[in-house]
Amino acid sequence: MARIIVVTSGKGGVGKTTSSASFSTGLAMRGHKTVVIDFDVGLRNLDLIMGCERRVVYDLINVINKEASLNQALIKDKHCDNLFILPASQTRDKDALSEDGVEAVLADLIAMGFEFIICDSPAGIEHGALMALTFADEALIVTNPEVSSVRDSDRILGIIQAKSRRAQSGGEPVKEHLLITRYSPKRVENGEMLSYTDVQEILRIPLMGIIPESEQVLHASNQGNPAIHFKGTDVAEAYEDVVARFLGEQRPLRFTDYEKPGLLKRLFGAK
Amino acid sequence: MALLSFLFQSKPKTATAAKERLQIIIARERNGRTGPDFLPALHKELIEVISKYTKVNADDIKISLDRQGNLEVLDVNVVLPDA
């Protein structure tokens, strides 16, 4: 059974596209046929984060308008054989993203044998964000431990619970997962940042993972390689944990405790 | 002494303030979401009816729905102008 997962947040800049890229890559690296769709019509960026921006010829709207076939529009990932990217249109008006059109594209992707369909939502609660979440079976709510992001996440949860196809048809509700990004254990320890338990207590949805704040994310996007490819880094391992948990494995939370630097470290200023 | 307390004063824990503020605003917004959606229309019609008989300002009519245990309390507060 294919699973459609929306990666959303309400607020912009919290790490939706970064997370979509690493999450879909992680699923594909574990052998699952995966497609990641950019729903941010007019402001597409998933192609840049995935490093395939120069290979974009056709996009989601071309497919919806039947100007190109899905096979023509899907871009094969440069690292993973079973990962495909469906870019958003950069020029069209976002109203071109019709509900029927999106539904048809998703049905075709399922028929092509994709196991996981990741919908990278635009920020906000406008049309594009609604289209990204409408057909979702599950939702990955990307949240920073910061007041505006937490509030917007709660807002988008309300929208999922009211406007998704599952909610409208009265079926099983969309399964919600919390993904906390840009987490700084040191600042939490100092009482400057909401802890993950605080965020979870407020949003009341199950925690899928915590991605630590890291310089590596910028290095990754600079090069157009999803952060999960940088083996051995905290961010890559945190995303690997998220993928493993999503696939049903038990993994303890990591990167949540602050270790005070030792005397030597402080003297010689380790990074 | 002042120097000592300056050196050892604890930094304010702003995360606690963030959590409290979020809990309050999100509880309020969730209530608005799950509550009945006739309130704005009721508010508008109440203003029309009341202003038919008295001269009141639209801002002087406050309407809210609160939950107290199992009860829902519709609270309408009208400030009548001085005669």
Side-chain angles (χ1 to χ4, degrees), chain B residues 12-41:
Chain B
K13 303 266 191 260
T14 52
T16 323
K19 188 180 178 185
E20 283 166 10
R21 291 175 58 218
L22 271 170
Q23 279 172 327
I24 293 165
I25 189 67
I26 283 181
R28 218 170 73 187
E29 287 175 347
R30 278 187 189 148
N31 269 338
R33 225 154 55 202
T34 51
D37 47 13
F38 59 77
L39 275 191

Side-chain angles (χ1 to χ4, degrees), chain A residues 147 150-151 154-155 158 190-194 198 201-204, chain B residues 11-16 18-19 21-23 25-26 29-30 33:
Chain A
V147 285
V150 175
R151 181 200 214 172
D154 192 68
R155 183 97 170 82
N190 289 342
E192 302 168 18
M193 181 181 268
L194 290 165
D198 290 340
E201 205 179 301
I202 293 163
L203 292 178
R204 294 188 225 147
Chain B
K11 280 190 212 150
K13 303 266 191 260
T14 52
T16 323
K19 188 180 178 185
R21 291 175 58 218
L22 271 170
Q23 279 172 327
I25 189 67
I26 283 181
E29 287 175 347
R30 278 187 189 148
R33 225 154 55 202

Side-chain angles (χ1 to χ4, degrees), chain A residues 5 7 16-37 46-52 55 75-85 114-120 140 220 224-231 235-244 246-247:
Chain A
I5 303 113
V7 179
K16 282 182 297 296
T17 303
T18 300
S19 295
S20 297
S22 281
F23 183 61
S24 54
T25 301
L27 289 167
M29 288 198 302
R30 282 167 155 258
H32 298 284
K33 194 176 175 189
T34 304
V35 57
V36 55
I37 310 175
L46 181 69
D47 53 341
L48 267 180
I49 301 300
M50 301 292 293
C52 64
R55 290 193 287 146
I75 302 171
K76 194 166 173 232
D77 183 61
K78 57 186 181 185
H79 299 290
C80 304
D81 281 343
N82 41 15
L83 178 59
F84 292 81
I85 299 120
F114 281 102
E115 290 172 74
F116 295 107
I117 300 172
I118 316 298
C119 302
D120 181 22
L140 212 52
N225 288 321
I228 197 169
H229 282 305
F230 295 82
K231 299 279 175 226
V235 178
E237 292 189 6
Y239 275 118
E240 278 167 22
D241 285 354
V242 169
V243 172
F246 186 78
L247 295 172

Side-chain angles (χ1 to χ4, degrees), chain A residues 186-230:
Chain A
K186 184 183 175 190
R187 304 198 75 181
V188 172
E189 177 86 19
N190 289 342
E192 302 168 18
M193 181 181 268
L194 290 165
S195 71
Y196 68 89
T197 45
D198 290 340
V199 178
Q200 210 189 350
E201 205 179 301
I202 293 163
L203 292 178
R204 294 188 225 147
I205 59 172
L207 183 63
M208 179 59 89
I210 296 171
I211 312 298
E213 169 83 67
S214 165
E215 296 172 1
Q216 198 59 46
V217 173
L218 183 59
H219 288 307
S221 74
N222 285 344
Q223 300 166 65
N225 288 321
I228 197 169
H229 282 305
F230 295 82

